[in-house]
Amino acid sequence: MRKTRESADAPVVVIGAGMAGARLAARVPGVTVVGEERHAPYNRVLLADVLAGRYAPDVIALPATEVRRGVRAVRIDRADRLVHCDDGSVLRYGRLVLATGSNPVLPPLRGLGTTLPDGVHPFRTLDDALALRAAVRPGARAVVIGGGLLGVSAARALAECGAQVVLAQQGEHLMERQLDPEAAALLRGHLEALGVEVHTECRVRGLRCTTVATGESVRGTEPTPDRATAPTAVRAVQLADGYELAADLTVLACGVRPRTGLARAAGLEVGKGIVVDDELRTSDPYIHALGDCAEHRSTLYGLAGPALEQADVLAEVLAGRPARYEGTRALTRLSLRSPGPVEGLDLAAFGEARPLPGDDVVRLADATRGAYRTVVVRDGRLAGGVLLGDLGAVAGLARTWQDDEPLPPAMSLLHLLTDDGGH
C-alpha cells in the first residue's frame, strides 16, 4: 500500500511563494516555502490596481505565510531528497511541491536583447508593477504590446496614470481567447473612451532605441561590440508595415510560459508544463506540482482559480486523505473601473464562446445600458458564454456551466440570460 507521507516529521518543502504556494502553506502546517521575490506573497490578480495607484502593495498581500524570501532554488537532488538554494542552504524534503509559476514571454523583436532597454517592462510581478508605476508620468507615451487579459489591464491602468496609451494587438480582436468579436468591440470602445488608442491585426517588428550616453539611434539591429554593454532606452515601437509608435514606455504583455527548468534539470517529465496526475504528482512520487507550471491532463490553466483549487486538493493529499483534482472549469472576470466620467465595465467569460456548426446561440444586447450577453448551447449543455456590463446572471450561468449537466427540456435559451441564470 502506497503511503502519502513517509512519516509525521517528513518535511514538506514548497518552491514558489505565489498564490498557489501560499494557499498550500496556509492549509498544511509546518511547510517550508522558498520564494525568489523579496515581497510577501500577494494577490497577482490585483497588480493592475497597484500600477493604477488604487492599492498599495501591502493591501494585496495574502494572509501571513512564513516564506524564505529572496531565495532561489537552483537544484533538486532526487536521490537524497534535497533542494539546493542560491544562498548556499540545503533543504531536506519528504515531499517537494513545485509552484514555480510562469515567466512572461519576451517576443522575438529586433532590439530586444537579453538585457531590456530602459523603458521596456514586462508585467508579471509586483516589482514589475512598482517599476512601471515609478516610471509613468502624465503625458508619457506608452505602448502596450499584447491585447489579452494582461495587456488590457495594463493599458487601462496606464491610462488612469495619465499616460498616452497605445495598445497593439496582433490578433483580430482583443482578448481573443475569451471574447467573441461583438464583446471585443464593446471592450475596445470602452478602452477608447478612456483615451487608449487600440490597434488590432497589428504586428510589431522591433524597437527603436537610443544609447543612453550618446543618444545615438539603434534601429532594432544586433548590437555591435562597442554597443554590447552600452545601456539603451526605447524611443519607438516599429510595426511590420514600417510605421512607428513613439514610446517612452513599452509594456510586454505577450503571454506567459511555465517555469519548468528546475523540473527538467531534475529529470521530471515535462510537456508544455510539469506533467502531473490527479493527485498533482509528477513522474517522481515524492514531488508534486501545481499552479501555472503544472500540466494536468494536457491542460495548462495559467489562472488563479485553478491554482487555488489545486492547492486545496494537494493539501488533502499531503494530509493522507483521499482527494483528486479533476480539472477546473475556469471563469475569467475583469473589472475595468476608473475615476472620471467614463463608466466602468465589468466582464465575465467562460467556456467556449465561439459557436460550432449545430450549436444554439442566443445574444442579448442593450446599447443604452452598455450590456451584452451571449451563451452557446451544445448538445443540450451550456458550452460557454460572455457577459459585459450587467453581470447579474453570471453566478447562475457559471453554476449551470460548471455542473455540466443537461439543461432541463423546459429551459429556454432566453431564460439562461435572466438575472437568476435559470436557477
Side-chain angles (χ1 to χ4, degrees):
M1 177 178 175
R2 179 175 54 80
K3 297 180 181 178
T4 57
R5 292 283 296 273
E6 286 185 318
S7 66
D9 63 350
V12 176
V13 175
V14 179
I15 300 176
M19 294 178 70
R23 176 68 160 251
L24 182 68
R27 295 283 310 274
V28 179
V31 168
T32 298
V33 181
V34 177
E36 288 185 30
E37 295 190 57
R38 59 188 175 91
H39 304 283
Y42 55 86
N43 186 342
R44 199 178 302 275
V45 175
L46 299 176
L47 285 179
D49 295 295
V50 173
L51 171 55
R54 278 194 298 278
Y55 295 149
D58 59 326
V59 175
I60 70 168
L62 296 173
T65 299
E66 285 296 323
V67 177
R68 298 187 60 189
R69 303 186 203 174
V71 177
R72 183 168 63 91
V74 294
R75 185 169 67 87
I76 300 169
D77 180 344
R78 291 169 53 194
D80 292 328
R81 297 186 204 164
L82 301 173
V83 175
H84 295 260
C85 301
D86 64 351
D87 64 352
S89 62
V90 180
L91 303 174
R92 181 177 67 90
Y93 68 85
R95 296 282 169 175
L96 179 63
V97 180
L98 302 179
T100 49
S102 54
N103 284 326
V105 171
L106 300 183
L109 303 179
R110 296 178 184 177
L112 192 63
T114 54
T115 300
L116 295 181
D118 287 350
V120 178
H121 298 262
F123 187 50
R124 182 64 181 164
T125 68
L126 181 53
D127 279 337
D128 294 337
L130 293 174
L132 264 173
R133 176 72 184 169
V136 68
R137 297 287 184 272
R141 299 165 300 181
V143 177
V144 178
I145 303 175
L149 180 63
L150 201 60
V152 167
S153 300
R156 183 265 299 171
L158 289 168
E160 280 191 55
C161 294
Q164 301 173 35
V165 184
V166 177
L167 178 57
Q169 159 72 333
Q170 183 169 318
E172 293 182 1
H173 61 76
L174 298 175
M175 291 182 62
E176 283 188 309
R177 289 181 58 187
Q178 293 91 6
L179 302 185
D180 60 19
E182 292 85 353
L186 290 173
L187 174 59
R188 177 173 184 160
H190 175 78
L191 290 174
E192 290 174 341
L194 293 174
V196 177
E197 183 180 328
V198 179
H199 294 265
T200 54
E201 299 184 87
C202 170
R203 191 165 67 85
V204 175
R205 182 182 67 187
L207 305 177
R208 179 168 62 81
C209 302
T210 58
T211 56
V212 173
T214 65
E216 181 183 358
S217 181
V218 182
R219 291 185 172 272
T221 57
E222 291 300 316
T224 56
D226 59 328
R227 289 197 187 112
T229 57
T232 59
V234 67
R235 292 293 176 260
V237 173
Q238 301 171 323
L239 305 183
D241 60 6
Y243 187 74
E244 285 193 349
L245 301 171
D248 303 306
L249 296 171
T250 299
V251 179
L252 305 177
C254 306
V256 295
R257 182 177 293 115
R259 296 184 63 183
T260 60
L262 199 61
R264 194 184 298 274
L268 300 177
E269 182 183 355
V270 174
K272 294 178 291 183
I274 305 170
V275 177
V276 296
D277 62 15
D278 290 354
E279 291 186 328
L280 288 312
R281 195 183 310 274
T282 69
S283 53
D284 183 321
Y286 298 100
I287 302 177
H288 301 261
L290 75 167
D292 287 6
C293 68
E295 177 185 342
H296 175 259
R297 299 185 186 179
S298 303
T299 298
L300 289 168
Y301 288 99
L303 296 169
L308 299 179
E309 188 174 333
Q310 289 171 4
D312 290 343
V313 170
L314 184 53
E316 296 297 300
V317 171
L318 293 174
R321 293 186 285 269
R324 300 180 71 82
Y325 178 67
E326 302 287 347
T328 300
R329 295 170 72 82
L331 174 78
T332 299
R333 296 190 69 151
L334 178 64
S335 181
L336 299 173
R337 299 198 168 272
S338 307
V342 179
E343 267 192 55
L345 179 69
D346 293 318
L347 176 157
F350 58 94
E352 298 179 43
R354 293 190 182 89
L356 300 176
D359 289 347
D360 292 315
V361 181
V362 62
R363 289 188 177 93
L364 296 178
D366 185 341
T368 60
R369 297 171 60 196
Y372 173 85
R373 300 177 182 182
T374 181
V375 292
V376 177
V377 175
R378 181 175 304 149
D379 298 327
R381 287 175 165 85
L382 188 59
V386 177
L387 293 85
L388 276 84
D390 181 6
L391 299 187
V394 70
L397 286 168
R399 284 194 301 270
T400 301
W401 172 64
Q402 288 166 346
D403 290 345
D404 196 29
E405 295 292 334
L407 298 174
M411 180 181 288
S412 70
L413 292 178
L414 190 61
H415 190 47
L416 282 171
L417 294 181
T418 60
D419 279 352
D420 65 357
H423 288 268

